[in-house]
Amino acid sequence: MKNINIGIIGVGVVGSATVLLLEQNKDIISARAGANLIVKKGVVRDMSKTDKNIKIPLSNDINDILEDDDIDVVVELMGGVDVAFEVAKKALSKKKAFVTANKAMLAYHRYDLQKIALDTPIGFEASVAGGIPIIKALRDGLSANHITSIRGILNGTCNYILTKMTNQDISFNECLKEAKELGYAESNPELDINGMDSAHKLLILASIAYGVNAMPQDILIEGISDINQDDIFFANEFGYTIKLLAIAKKIGNEVELRVHLAMINKDEMISKISGVMNGVSVIGDKVGETMYYGAGAGGNATASSVVSDLIEIARDSYSPMLGFKQPLESGLKIKPISKIESRYYIRINVLDKAGVLSKITSILGDNGISIKILLQKTSNNGIATLLLSTHKSNELSIQKAISNLCKLDIIHDKPYMIRIEE
Ligand code: HSE
């Protein structure tokens, strides 16, 4: 049996789990790969912090892997964008296969890599939804379909926080602190809670589904940090669960790409994905809805995806990086944010006095926004909280209405809006 020599750059939680997985499941891995997968070297930033169970030779110089002609596959698990991209380019220029879990780097450079790679394989199953094989499902299993939509819960940290806030009435900051302690959050947790981590992953999926080359700055991205218990109360009252959703939807010759909090009907499968778990619903024009559920973070789950790429490479049976050999879905454009349509939930804190409601409804009416449900919560210190949902409207109208509401002297603080995804 042939040997495949592997160099791992970044032997932290996922890197260590990858080394241990290759050892512990060696028999089935070599049987499936038709090769021995051998980790020849690892590169770490700080040798003193390495897991003591990791028995591979270590160095702190990336070139010890990139310049080693015996290494067939470079596994990049260091994170970050610029240095990781340089590593990828150098590995590919030396015809080394490249495996990465780095969604941030791929969000900016996936098309660069596809162009440079030519026939050198690139694996990135671990970059989206950790242990869920969503890349292979979308790229290979569903390749006969036009993809109608993708709706994903792609960030375990946010889902953990939202689940805790919903089920246990715990504050946002307390939930975030727990998520950090449990090791779910990114080294910069701002990327989790501002929606950027989910957006990186969505852009990767959208390239496979539609061939579109969008960057984070091209799409609607909102985080979760402004949600409060009033929003959760409204959602519960009217049969919704609040999730941070990453959405790709094809309508006509446009594709909507967006990441934001969404109220989803409690009966939908995706609303049942709780805690740190991830879930993705993909609708194909022929297959209908398919659902994927599993651990989106953590050493073993992510290593499971990394090793699946290594096995595919060892078999010499890899797919084109983004799953297409010719331009896909030609003529498809990214829908401008202002044209995206939705129903909306709005929370408005107002002075509790006569005439306030009519001022609010007239601004909504002037922007063509029709109210479906309206609740007023008990006044507190002269401030009343209005919770309302609207019929279908669009981003341009809702943003104009919120900006006009902010100008009213009876408004206590900026109204907060969550989209209702139906
Ligand atoms: N910080 C990410 C999450 C880890 O919470 O899902 C996996 O990408």
Side-chain angles (χ1 to χ4, degrees):
M1 205 155 34
K2 67 181 173 180
N3 290 342
I4 302 285
N5 291 325
I6 298 160
I8 301 183
I9 301 178
V11 192
V13 175
V14 177
S16 301
T18 301
V19 172
L20 295 175
L21 168 51
L22 285 165
E23 271 170 35
Q24 289 159 1
N25 287 1
K26 192 171 156 192
D27 294 352
I28 54 157
I29 289 169
S30 52
R32 287 183 171 136
N36 299 309
L37 271 49
I38 300 164
V39 183
K40 200 175 164 211
K41 265 179 214 167
V43 165
V44 289
R45 205 174 302 154
D46 182 348
M47 309 250 270
S48 67
K49 287 193 184 150
T50 315
D51 184 332
K52 297 288 168 276
N53 298 314
I54 302 303
K55 306 285 185 226
I56 57 168
L58 292 173
S59 95
N60 49 21
D61 183 354
I62 290 174
N63 286 318
D64 285 344
I65 285 179
L66 295 174
E67 303 287 352
D68 183 338
D69 291 338
D70 286 341
I71 288 189
D72 305 298
V73 189
V74 174
V75 177
E76 182 272 307
L77 300 171
M78 60 197 279
V81 177
D82 297 338
V83 178
F85 180 47
E86 291 307 314
V87 164
K89 283 196 290 189
K90 192 155 179 193
L92 294 169
S93 73
K94 291 183 171 283
K95 297 282 171 218
K96 295 181 191 304
F98 182 70
V99 173
T100 183
N102 190 333
K103 58 255 164 157
M105 188 266 285
L106 291 170
Y108 292 95
H109 295 299
R110 58 204 184 282
Y111 287 89
D112 300 325
L113 293 185
Q114 188 188 39
K115 211 188 281 171
I116 300 163
L118 299 173
D119 289 330
T120 309
I122 299 181
F124 54 104
E125 184 61 73
S127 65
V128 180
I132 305 177
I134 186 64
I135 301 289
K136 291 181 181 71
L138 193 56
R139 186 180 63 188
D140 303 323
L142 299 177
S143 56
N145 289 261
H146 286 281
I147 303 302
T148 312
S149 71
I150 302 171
R151 294 196 302 166
I153 293 174
L154 300 179
N155 186 274
T157 301
C158 288
N159 208 39
Y160 178 82
I161 293 172
L162 294 169
T163 305
K164 280 240 153 187
M165 283 182 77
T166 302
N167 295 347
Q168 293 174 28
D169 197 9
I170 299 177
S171 76
F172 179 88
N173 284 330
E174 205 174 322
C175 294
L176 176 60
K177 188 168 157 267
E178 279 182 30
K180 280 191 213 165
E181 283 163 6
L182 290 165
Y184 303 147
E186 296 296 299
S187 48
N188 172 9
E190 189 56 28
L191 292 176
D192 294 299
I193 61 174
N194 69 11
M196 195 52 88
D197 178 75
S198 297
H200 291 156
K201 295 165 179 167
L202 177 69
L203 291 169
I204 295 168
L205 296 183
S207 286
I208 297 170
Y210 303 111
V212 291
N213 185 2
M215 294 282 142
Q217 60 272 21
D218 302 326
I219 69 167
L220 171 61
I221 307 171
E222 289 174 2
I224 67 168
S225 52
D226 293 328
I227 187 170
N228 74 19
Q229 288 299 337
D230 288 332
D231 313 325
I232 290 167
F233 163 81
F234 183 93
N236 270 332
E237 203 64 17
F238 293 99
Y240 299 114
T241 306
I242 303 180
K243 296 288 181 193
L244 182 72
L245 276 194
I247 301 171
K249 241 186 229 178
K250 181 171 173 262
I251 303 171
N253 67 347
E254 290 183 318
V255 63
E256 293 179 15
L257 297 175
R258 45 195 171 107
V259 173
H260 52 70
L261 282 173
M263 291 197 185
I264 320 165
N265 197 303
K266 273 193 166 69
D267 296 335
E268 286 207 51
M269 298 255 291
I270 201 155
S271 78
K272 301 187 195 312
I273 290 157
S274 302
V276 72
M277 302 306 269
N278 280 196
V280 192
S281 150
V282 181
I283 300 182
D285 63 343
K286 297 298 175 191
V287 71
E289 182 171 22
T290 59
M291 275 291 301
Y292 309 85
Y293 169 82
N300 281 334
T302 312
S304 161
S305 287
V306 170
V307 173
S308 81
D309 284 340
L310 293 171
I311 293 172
E312 197 182 350
I313 288 165
R315 285 170 174 165
D316 275 334
S317 64
Y318 41 86
S319 306
M321 180 185 168
L322 297 172
F324 52 89
K325 295 187 171 199
Q326 303 291 328
L328 190 67
E329 299 272 13
S330 56
L332 200 60
K333 295 197 172 65
I334 307 293
K335 187 181 238 180
I337 292 172
S338 61
K339 282 173 62 188
I340 292 174
E341 293 190 338
S342 180
R343 286 189 55 216
Y344 297 88
Y345 152 87
I346 312 175
R347 170 194 356 124
I348 313 174
N349 290 324
V350 290
L351 300 186
D352 196 1
K353 62 182 198 184
V356 162
L357 263 187
S358 74
K359 287 186 182 165
I360 288 169
T361 53
S362 95
I363 286 184
L364 294 176
D366 289 348
N367 286 285
I369 298 167
S370 163
I371 295 172
K372 182 165 182 183
I373 296 167
L374 176 60
L375 290 185
Q376 176 167 337
K377 285 193 77 185
T378 321
S379 173
N380 196 357
N381 302 331
I383 304 296
T385 301
L386 302 176
L387 307 177
L388 61 91
S389 70
T390 74
H391 288 282
K392 199 177 239 185
S393 181
N394 61 52
E395 288 296 310
L396 183 66
S397 305
I398 206 82
Q399 298 299 353
K400 266 170 68 183
I402 288 177
S403 139
N404 288 341
L405 286 172
C406 287
K407 292 178 194 150
L408 293 177
D409 54 4
I410 44 99
I411 293 284
H412 182 255
D413 48 22
K414 187 176 179 205
Y416 180 63
M417 172 267 281
I418 296 178
R419 294 164 189 83
I420 300 175
E421 182 64 23
E422 291 183 320

